Amino acid sequence: MARPKIDDARDKMYRVRVNDEEEQMLQYVCDRKELKNKSDVFRAALKEAYGMLRMREFDMNENQDSYYEEYAEGISLERIVDCPYCSSKNKIDLVDECDESSYERQMGPETIYEFDTEDNYCKNCGRQFRVSGYISEYPMGAFNFEEINVNPIEGEEEYE
Ligand SMILES: [Zn+2]
């Protein structure tokens, strides 16, 4: 019996290095989305990025006036972070904590949001912690990459 013909076989191979944190994120996404193969996470992310960039490029070229208005507000800077003392999940909004800088690139500006704030208190244990790092938005309205560090504060005032 003839084997079914595959139009576009997956015959290109990539090896992707991940660290422990990324490995945990990968496992989390697989579990929640009930995916059997970790490579499906990368394929889905690729399709999402590809579709998003095509959409942005189209909008930018065809509706330039509304394009800049539509995404002027920027991406969400809300994140879930784990308390460095008790590991409870806390929702933070970095929107009022950021220094913004912008650079003009091929698809318009890239915006970097930098933050370093100690004004965070765990809603479970009440202890104060520091959140520092940066988030990159590129193109407008799209998440690009981020580094978010959550650390304990030495000598923070603990209240019971
Ligand atoms: Zn805590």
Side-chain angles (χ1 to χ4, degrees):
M1 207 168 72
R3 298 171 75 183
K5 188 168 169 282
I6 300 171
D7 287 339
D8 188 3
R10 290 198 169 116
D11 55 3
K12 269 74 69 183
M13 174 101 96
Y14 283 85
R15 297 172 67 182
V16 180
R17 289 177 188 277
V18 296
N19 61 23
D20 289 342
E21 186 188 14
E22 289 161 344
E23 170 67 16
Q24 283 170 20
M25 290 163 67
L26 192 51
Q27 193 60 56
Y28 179 92
V29 174
C30 282
D31 289 347
R32 298 305 181 279
K33 295 184 79 172
E34 296 166 46
L35 299 171
K36 281 198 194 76
N37 298 315
K38 287 178 175 155
S39 54
D40 288 338
V41 177
F42 292 99
R43 289 197 191 99
L46 172 63
K47 278 178 187 154
E48 186 185 17
Y50 180 73
M52 182 272 292
L53 288 171
R54 298 236 305 166
M55 187 68 73
R56 287 291 191 286
E57 190 172 40
F58 181 89
D59 284 344
M60 198 177 155
N61 294 331
E62 311 283 325
N63 320 298
Q64 200 150 33
D65 294 342
S66 59
Y67 177 80
Y68 285 97
E69 254 172 59
E70 190 174 349
Y71 299 109
E73 261 190 48
I75 55 171
S76 167
L77 299 175
E78 286 187 336
R79 294 291 185 276
I80 304 295
V81 296
D82 296 338
C83 171
Y85 309 102
C86 76
S87 300
S88 288
K89 296 186 221 19
N90 283 266
K91 188 172 182 173
I92 57 167
D93 192 346
L94 297 160
V95 70
D96 295 324
E97 310 292 342
C98 289
D99 285 329
E100 267 183 59
S101 47
S102 275
Y103 310 88
E104 210 51 45
R105 294 184 58 184
Q106 188 184 331
M107 292 187 70
E110 172 176 3
T111 304
I112 307 282
Y113 303 91
E114 283 180 275
F115 43 86
D116 189 352
T117 167
E118 300 196 337
D119 194 22
N120 313 286
Y121 297 87
C122 175
K123 67 174 176 44
N124 181 51
C125 70
R127 295 179 72 180
Q128 189 179 2
F129 58 89
R130 181 179 172 199
V131 179
S132 61
Y134 53 88
I135 297 170
S136 161
E137 174 183 346
Y138 178 76
M140 288 173 79
F143 171 81
N144 190 31
F145 59 81
E146 70 182 18
E147 181 174 322
I148 298 178
N149 303 301
V150 181
N151 293 110
I153 295 173
E154 265 185 58
E156 42 86 42
E157 286 187 30
E158 192 179 346
Y159 46 84
E160 301 288 318

